Amino acid sequence: MKNIFKLFFVAMLAVVSFASCDKSGGDNVAPSIEIVAVDTTDSTISFAVTSENATECAYMLYDGDIISAESVLREGTTIASSGVVKVENLKSGTLYYVVAAARNANGEALSNTLKITTTGTGNNNGGNNDDEDDDDEFELPEIEGVENIVITKTKDGRWYEPYNYYVTFVRDNGDRIILDFYTLDETMSQYLPYGSYTFATNYYPYTIYPETSGYFPAGKGEGEGYNFTDGYVTVDVVGGYYAIYMMLTYEEDGVSKSIQGYYNGILSGASVPEGDDEGSQELVEVLEVGTTSFQFRINAEPGQYWRCSVVDKRTYDQTQSNPGAWVVTYGFMLEGPVTFNWEDGKICEYVPGLQMSVTSSTDYLILAALMDYSDGQENSLLGGVEVVQVRTKAEAEGTGTVDMTIKEVGVNEVTFDCIFDEDVWCCYVAMMETANLQEIKDGKYAMAGYSSYEECMLSLVPGLSHDFMRQFLESQYDYTWDALKYNTSYTPCIKVVDMNNGTKYIELEPFTTK
């Protein structure tokens, strides 16, 4: 997953690469440049470069000490245009610092610094070869006029649309950096895609909206901060956690100020992308799955608050929601380790008034997330949402049968006898429009998540028969089913439950109302 979104980002860069190094240099506008890691092998590193208003671009591998844009442009390797740069003939298992710079008639700019370790078992300059350890020791470069900050956590991360993510980064002194990201619509807001985000007043992917992003010193309210005027943020994953570098500029009392910071940890309200799950919370543990029930445990620490929601996957897939919004909107709040026996028709013992619904051969999603309950932030996700899918078992094949005899068909009703054999405990009857039934047979059962037509009908018929409590507990004679459509073909569909709780699906010949 990580490489897929990096490739998407690289492809996006390729589209704008020839516009990135603008030879015009702009009108009294200084250049900007940023770099994002793309790939590594045992002898190469690759990174993407993008710049604006630049007439000259270059990059350099260096030792991580203080460096200037002028020295990179003078001693580094010239980049003909922005795009992906591949550096070859490197040592395996070795840590490299990468920086880039840009220049035009109005000034020079230095990019963020990347720390990239080649794969393999080289000596890494005598240090530890583990990539994760190297990234944990990330050091911000010293840049004149830029304040290095320490970010301790994130909070209040929320998805407001499938592509709009709003999060707060908290400094060690309590100051807050609020960023309003616009991402890829196709992600459905489960996680923040990899790439570089820049400021813009539009809502295009990989942008940060300036009017709702800013720097808020500790003690000041939401409207008392300073909007960001320039900068960028790069997003990656290191050691199973988000790795975020930010270079941001704001204006305070007429004075322009710049900050840079690096954060490697959970991102409030966002899941870590699939495949990079070393930092997953492992909150949900499924213990047992039956036909109309399943058991799971929330593995929270004593006193740790969390939210959880259980939903039929078909219902969830029909919404424009996302895990973070769903668990906050529909989830219930509890704390500590809890084991749930989620059984159809039962009332949840931990949540008053919550009646559980479970049908056989159905996919369910269990969504859970730790919550930051400090300072009354009961709706603030502490980290990503863990989503676990459970599929209930198919019902056992039954032996019971019923004999249905249609006696009279009217304009809007049908009258029939429904006779049980001695092995039947109960049955459910549904009068299905034949045309709709044919659509299900033609493949809609698979679209609904069922492996067979019969499996679909065994789940569907009880819900349709429940409209007027048409669950027969004994044989019925001269029973009238009304409220049918005029001149429409119907097919009687029956689910039979035998004395051993086995089930059978029976489909009769269709009839047409007059």
Side-chain angles (χ1 to χ4, degrees), residues 9 13 17 19-22 29-36 47-60 67-70 72-73 77-85 98-104 107-114 141 143 146 196-198 230-234 245-249 260:
F9 178 60
L13 283 176
S17 63
S20 297
C21 277
D22 183 0
V29 177
S32 64
I33 186 168
E34 56 203 76
I35 57 179
V36 178
F47 55 93
V49 181
T50 184
S51 59
E52 294 182 1
N53 304 310
T55 58
E56 183 180 355
C57 309
Y59 79 90
M60 176 185 287
I67 197 168
S68 65
E70 192 277 332
V72 174
L73 291 163
T77 302
T78 300
I79 303 171
S81 63
S82 296
V84 178
V85 177
V98 186
V99 69
R103 175 163 53 200
N104 67 14
E108 300 172 343
L110 191 68
S111 76
N112 55 300
T113 296
L114 296 179
I143 303 175
V146 178
S196 182
Y197 294 79
T198 57
D230 198 6
Y232 60 92
V233 176
T234 62
Y245 171 84
M246 59 183 68
M247 171 71 78
L248 303 167
T249 300
Q260 68 168 337

Side-chain angles (χ1 to χ4, degrees), residues 159 189-192 242 267 269-273 323 383-387:
W159 293 99
S189 305
Q190 294 182 35
Y191 58 89
L192 195 59
Y242 281 95
L267 197 55
S271 300
V272 174
V385 179
E386 184 172 335
V387 183

